[in-house]
């Protein structure tokens, strides 16, 4: 009964919206998405910041005459100044250039690992949720089993078995990263597949593959985006953690994590705070930016959101 | 035991002795229990009944979309253009669904995918079955929207479902269903969720389109007003069985089965506005515990011991009509005498 009321309410709301959108000009889908996206100022800020990060990472060598992997011990522990905007670390390397090159590694690890986990988790969850019954039962028990393993400990083991490098870090993060996504997508599909439009697609003679991935999955885009952005943020932090523990990216190659790691001593933290502050800020701002982008995308991709 | 209807030369759909059961934890639910009917070319056949009478399961059986498990077609056959649908592979069924047989649902509000423009949704079926390219399919979508009477079709194709009203959405659903010129359209309560005025428009549209395209229609409804308006023939279902079928005039003018009579008497009418409407006392029997005799017996004012103990057979009365009721058999009189003798 209340469901019916909800449907009626939706209908009324939709009719009111019709008037709105009729006044607007016709737009392409991408333009409509962008229009909705740019109404969220935080999302726009996040997008700008993240773009700057990416550009800075790509063009890192242009920003500074220093080499991120060469040290001049004579310049150790210099405070931020014009020639060293973020100061130098205890080895005498420029923190600014190391943070820039660190962005390359840290962001690559996070983005690649997240791409893998999202792709795998979404497909796994969608198949499990759509087919249900025995398939779902087996697939979800596998997820349960993997999730009941203390994953961080296993991450350490995986990272320890492999020769630590960027790729070992990506593999370690991907191995367990998809579980959450699979679970969420499965739950979404389980409810979405009962919707009338899923039945309507079946009645139109669509094959199962198309029903899952074309008709149902796009309706689950909101939670997928949310989880994916959380995953990127988590992976940035997890990479930092692994590198901090010495199992991720190995010095002298810079990553935000191992920069923090080299600044971990109390003396360093109190006397030369910039060596930890700047890579820490880099992580924090990157994670925030990604979260804002995720929020904005989630709303922008939903065509039911009112178009102003 | 069973008296078949006079077979028409070339029916488009023939349902023969169909039994669709659901195997639930509480027991076997005979949602459809021995149903026979035919759909003739170019006609509109209405299937009427209360909720739970098996109307929708019948249509899903024809589409071969009974969720299995728990559902299963256990007996009988369904033929389409003379070919059994039950022996078709899934791939063959997909060729038929949306192409030769299509379907529209009760809820236009939720039957369209909210994330795609209506044009894309119409085009999808054309791309799938007619192998059209996207551009061509979208052009055809505009034509279809015009066909179903949507003004400014050019603009409407690129709107999302939430930008359309309920009536419009049902028109879009009809456009999708008719996209590939199906030979059979199954409309499952197509007007139930709509306003009365819109209901009328949609019915009128369906009637018009049927004449234009010569599509046969199975119209599933519980609304006798709708039946009177568009149907050529009527199948009345009760608790998974056909209790009466015949052409629409006979059913309305001279109904035989007490259930049909009850249904018609419970319909409001302009002519005789005499106080309270009649109702059929009682409720549809629990499908897990069906009465041993006639399934309508517990609610029937004419029921005798015969009705309560033995299942009545389907008998033919008149030219085209069948009814499943003891009242129209030779055993009825004797049964009554027996009764009065007691």
């Amino acid at each position: 009964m209340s469901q019916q009321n909800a449907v009626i309410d939706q209908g009324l709301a939709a009719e009111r919206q019709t008037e709105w959108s009729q006044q607007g000009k016709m737009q392409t889908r991408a333009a409509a998405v962008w229009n909705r996206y740019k109404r969220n100022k935080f999302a726009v800020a996040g997008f700008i910041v993240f773009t700057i990060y990416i550009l800075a990472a790509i063009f890192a060598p242009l920003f500074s005459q220093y080499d991120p992997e060469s040290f001049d011990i004579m310049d150790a522990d210099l405070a931020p100044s014009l020639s060293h905007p973020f100061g130098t670390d205890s080895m005498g390397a420029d923190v600014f250039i190391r943070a820039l090159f660190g962005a390359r590694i840290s962001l690559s690890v996070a983005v690649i690992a997240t791409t893998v986990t999202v792709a795998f988790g979404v497909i796994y969850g969608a198949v499990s949720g759509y087919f249900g019954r025995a398939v779902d039962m087996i697939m979800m028990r596998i997820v349960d089993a993997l999730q009941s393993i203390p994953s961080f400990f296993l991450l350490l083991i995986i990272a320890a078995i492999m020769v630590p490098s960027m790729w070992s870090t990506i593999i370690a993060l991907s191995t367990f990263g998809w579980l959450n996504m699979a679970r969420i997508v499965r739950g979404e599909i389980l409810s979405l597949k009962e919707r009338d439009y899923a039945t309507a697609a079946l009645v139109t003679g669509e094959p199962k593959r198309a029903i899952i991935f074309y008709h149902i999955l796009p309706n689950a885009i909101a939670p997928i985006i949310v989880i994916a952005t959380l995953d990127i943020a988590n992976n940035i932090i997890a990479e930092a953690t692994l590198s901090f523990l010495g199992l991720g990216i190995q010095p002298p190659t810079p990553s935000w994590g191992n920069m923090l790691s080299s600044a971990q001593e109390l003396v360093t933290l109190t006397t030369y705070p910039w060596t930890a502050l700047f890579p820490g800020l880099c992580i924090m701002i990157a994670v925030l930016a990604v979260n804002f982008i995720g929020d904005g995308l989630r709303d922008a991709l939903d065509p039911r959101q009112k178009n102003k | 035991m069973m008296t078949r209807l006079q077979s028409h030369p070339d029916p488009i759909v023939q349902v023969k002795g169909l039994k669709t059961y659901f195997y639930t934890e509480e027991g076997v639910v005979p949602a459809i229990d021995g149903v026979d009917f035919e759909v003739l070319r170019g006609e509109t056949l209405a299937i009427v009944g209360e909720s739970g009478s098996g109307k929708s399961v019948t249509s899903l059986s024809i589409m071969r979309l009974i969720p299995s498990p728990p559902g299963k077609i256990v007996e009988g056959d369904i033929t389409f253009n003379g070919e059994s649908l039950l022996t078709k592979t899934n791939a063959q069924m997909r060729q038929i669904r949306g192409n030769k047989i299509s379907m529209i649902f009760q809820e236009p509000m939720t039957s369209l995918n909210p994330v795609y423009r209506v044009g894309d949704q119409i085009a999808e079926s054309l791309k799938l079955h007619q192998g059209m390219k996207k551009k061509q399919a979208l052009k055809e979508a505009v034509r279809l929207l015009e066909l179903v009477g949507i003004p400014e079709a050019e603009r409407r194709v690129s709107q999302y479902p939430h930008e359309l009203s309920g009536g419009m959405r049902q028109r879009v659903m009809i456009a999708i269903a008719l996209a590939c010129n199906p030979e059979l359209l199954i409309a499952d309560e197509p007007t139930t969720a709509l306003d009365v005025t819109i209901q009328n428009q949609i019915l009128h549209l369906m009637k018009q389109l049927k004449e234009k395209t010569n599509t046969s229609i199975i119209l599933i409804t519980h609304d006798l007003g709708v039946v009177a308006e568009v149907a050529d023939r009527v199948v009345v279902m009760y608790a998974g069985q056909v209790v009466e079928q015949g052409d629409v005039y006979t059913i309305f003018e001279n109904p035989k089965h007490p259930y049909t009579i009850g249904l018609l008497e419970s319909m409001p009418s302009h002519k005789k506005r005499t106080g309270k409407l009649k109702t059929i006392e009682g409720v549809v029997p629990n499908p897990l515990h069906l009465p041993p005799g006639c399934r309508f017996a517990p609610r029937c004012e004419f029921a005798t011991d015969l009705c309560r103990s033995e299942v009545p057979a389907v008998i033919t009365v008149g030219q085209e009509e069948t009814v499943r009721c003891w009242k129209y058999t030779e055993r009825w009189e004797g049964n009554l005498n027996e009764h009065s003798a007691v």
Side-chain angles (χ1 to χ4, degrees):
Chain A
M1 194 62 213
S2 67
Q3 207 183 348
Q4 261 177 351
N5 283 337
V7 169
I8 292 166
D9 286 345
Q10 266 177 21
L12 289 176
E15 265 175 0
R16 252 173 261 130
Q17 280 183 22
T18 315
E19 288 161 32
W20 277 99
S21 48
Q22 276 168 359
Q23 291 159 5
K25 272 184 260 148
M26 268 198 346
Q27 306 160 310
T28 65
R29 184 163 185 174
V33 169
W34 175 244
N35 264 333
R36 287 190 292 258
Y37 185 85
K38 73 182 180 196
R39 273 182 290 152
N40 183 337
K41 298 297 170 230
F42 283 105
V44 174
F47 179 73
I48 292 170
V49 168
F50 204 73
T51 311
I52 293 172
Y53 264 88
I54 301 283
L55 292 176
I58 293 171
F59 298 108
L62 303 178
F63 286 97
S64 174
Q65 75 272 32
Y66 302 105
D67 180 335
E69 297 185 23
S70 80
F71 320 100
D72 187 350
I73 207 77
M74 300 301 288
D75 287 341
D77 299 328
L78 295 177
S81 65
L82 273 182
S83 53
H84 297 287
F86 287 5
T88 62
D89 64 12
S90 56
M91 307 289 283
D94 180 62
V95 174
F96 179 63
I97 193 69
R98 281 184 69 79
L100 284 181
F101 277 85
R104 285 186 166 186
I105 303 286
S106 295
L107 293 180
S108 305
V109 168
V111 170
I112 296 173
T114 306
T115 310
V116 174
T117 58
V118 168
F120 191 73
V122 165
I123 295 173
Y124 191 97
V127 168
S128 179
Y130 187 79
F131 287 99
R133 288 179 228 290
V135 177
D136 182 44
M137 158 76 192
I138 294 166
M139 289 177 86
M140 278 302 123
R141 292 305 78 77
I142 293 173
V143 170
D144 284 346
L146 288 175
Q147 261 186 342
S148 58
I149 299 169
S151 62
F152 193 74
F153 179 68
L154 231 101
L155 246 161
L156 292 183
I157 294 179
I158 294 175
I161 298 170
M162 287 184 287
V163 182
S165 70
M166 185 174 109
W167 290 105
S168 78
T169 313
I170 290 172
I171 291 169
L173 293 179
S174 306
T175 310
F176 287 95
W178 58 275
L179 296 170
N180 204 20
M181 181 65 92
R183 199 179 272 284
I184 301 280
V185 170
R186 178 250 181 195
E188 282 292 315
I189 301 293
L190 217 51
S191 94
L192 290 175
K193 74 172 176 182
E194 302 297 337
R195 298 285 170 90
D196 288 341
Y197 54 77
T199 319
L202 207 58
V203 164
T204 319
E206 295 273 358
K208 287 207 165 92
R209 196 173 0 103
I211 295 176
I212 301 175
F213 294 109
Y214 180 80
H215 294 277
I216 299 181
L217 206 51
N219 284 285
I221 196 75
I224 292 176
I225 296 266
V226 173
I227 303 294
T229 49
L230 285 178
D231 278 355
I232 290 194
N234 282 340
N235 281 335
I236 291 175
I237 292 169
E239 179 278 321
T241 316
L242 280 182
S243 301
F244 181 85
L245 293 172
L247 294 165
I249 313 300
Q250 299 299 302
T253 308
S255 87
W256 295 336
N258 67 25
M259 289 172 74
L260 281 179
S261 162
S262 60
Q264 65 181 300
E265 277 162 55
L266 193 61
V267 191
T268 319
L269 281 176
T270 48
T271 349
Y272 318 114
W274 54 87
T275 52
L277 180 69
F278 289 109
L281 273 179
C282 283
I283 293 173
M284 202 185 100
I285 294 169
V287 169
L288 265 179
V290 169
N291 279 334
F292 288 157
I293 292 173
D295 264 1
L297 267 185
R298 182 196 55 206
D299 294 342
L301 286 172
D302 181 356
R304 282 159 293 192
Q305 293 280 325
K306 210 190 279 178
N307 235 335
K308 208 165 51 174
Chain B
M1 149 101 187
M2 221 206 59
T3 322
R4 293 260 310 113
L5 258 182
Q6 268 182 304
S7 214
H8 286 268
D10 182 26
I12 183 154
V13 172
Q14 241 182 326
V15 176
K16 288 181 274 191
L18 183 70
K19 292 189 179 180
T20 305
Y21 289 3
F22 286 83
Y23 296 87
T24 66
E25 273 171 31
E26 294 99 77
V28 181
V29 176
I32 306 266
D33 208 4
V35 161
D36 294 88
F37 65 83
E38 290 176 345
V39 186
L40 308 182
R41 272 170 213 283
E43 80 165 347
T44 300
L45 176 78
I47 302 183
V48 188
E50 289 169 78
S51 321
S53 59
K55 299 169 295 183
S56 294
V57 179
T58 307
S59 63
L60 288 177
S61 299
I62 296 173
M63 281 299 222
R64 279 260 313 273
L65 286 174
I66 295 292
S68 160
K72 197 172 178 244
I73 295 176
V74 289
E75 236 184 270
D77 198 8
I78 302 168
T79 62
F80 177 68
N81 282 332
E83 287 175 44
S84 171
L85 289 178
L86 300 187
T87 54
K88 298 242 184 256
T89 63
N90 283 332
Q92 285 170 325
M93 276 315 294
R94 282 206 303 274
Q95 293 292 316
I96 291 174
R97 287 180 204 135
N99 191 17
K100 302 262 172 63
I101 307 178
S102 55
M103 196 166 167
I104 51 178
F105 297 101
Q106 184 172 356
E107 269 303 338
M109 285 306 184
T110 52
S111 297
L112 288 166
N113 199 326
V115 301
Y116 295 111
R117 298 164 191 276
V118 295
D120 290 328
Q121 301 193 43
I122 301 172
E124 185 60 24
S125 174
L126 293 164
K127 288 193 283 187
L128 187 71
H129 294 297
Q130 317 261 302
M132 282 192 193
K133 291 275 168 288
K134 185 166 181 183
K135 235 182 161 176
Q136 192 189 0
L138 280 175
K139 222 185 225 166
E140 177 67 9
V142 176
R143 192 189 71 78
L144 284 160
L145 284 184
E146 279 164 0
L147 183 74
V148 297
I150 291 188
E152 297 178 88
E154 290 276 356
R155 189 169 62 86
R156 295 288 182 185
V157 273
S158 49
Q159 287 191 323
Y160 287 93
H162 71 261
E163 297 173 286
L164 305 178
S165 66
M168 288 264 203
R169 284 190 226 185
Q170 194 60 298
R171 284 171 194 265
V172 172
M173 289 308 296
I174 294 174
I176 294 175
L178 294 179
C180 300
N181 272 322
E183 294 174 49
L184 176 69
L185 173 69
I186 302 176
D188 192 347
E189 310 244 5
T191 56
T192 310
L194 303 172
D195 292 346
V196 192
T197 46
I198 310 291
Q199 267 187 22
N200 230 315
Q201 292 175 14
I202 295 288
L203 288 177
H204 189 71
L205 172 71
M206 286 178 59
K207 227 166 142 178
Q208 225 181 348
L209 290 174
K210 195 196 81 178
E211 274 150 30
K212 238 187 254 183
T213 57
N214 203 33
T215 305
S216 310
I217 298 178
I218 296 181
L219 177 76
I220 294 170
T221 182
H222 60 255
D223 186 341
L224 287 167
V226 171
V227 175
E229 197 135 348
V230 293
D232 298 312
R233 287 193 312 120
V234 183
V235 168
V236 183
M237 286 188 74
Y238 186 80
Q241 292 179 329
V242 175
V243 293
E244 180 164 5
Q245 63 175 307
D247 73 89
V248 69
Y249 298 105
T250 322
I251 296 281
F252 274 82
E253 297 300 325
N254 188 13
K256 306 276 185 316
H257 198 282
Y259 178 61
T260 317
I261 296 170
L263 277 184
L264 286 165
E265 281 177 348
S266 60
M267 213 170 90
S269 140
H270 295 296
K271 288 171 198 152
K272 33 177 192 193
R273 291 197 161 198
T274 47
K276 266 171 92 177
L277 277 176
K278 244 185 117 171
T279 56
I280 305 175
E281 293 298 322
V283 290
V284 183
N286 179 344
L288 290 167
H289 307 285
L290 288 167
C294 172
R295 290 183 182 176
F296 187 61
R299 300 171 74 182
C300 179
E301 50 183 316
F302 305 104
T304 64
D305 288 339
L306 177 66
C307 302
R308 281 182 278 267
S309 56
E310 282 183 61
V311 180
V314 177
I315 54 161
T316 309
V317 286
Q319 276 296 97
E320 307 261 298
E321 231 194 319
T322 67
V323 61
R324 189 191 271 274
C325 180
W326 282 120
K327 261 181 86 182
Y328 302 93
T329 63
E330 315 88 63
R331 283 180 68 185
W332 185 253
E333 291 302 325
N335 154 61
L336 282 184
N337 295 339
E338 219 173 272
H339 216 69
S340 45
V342 171

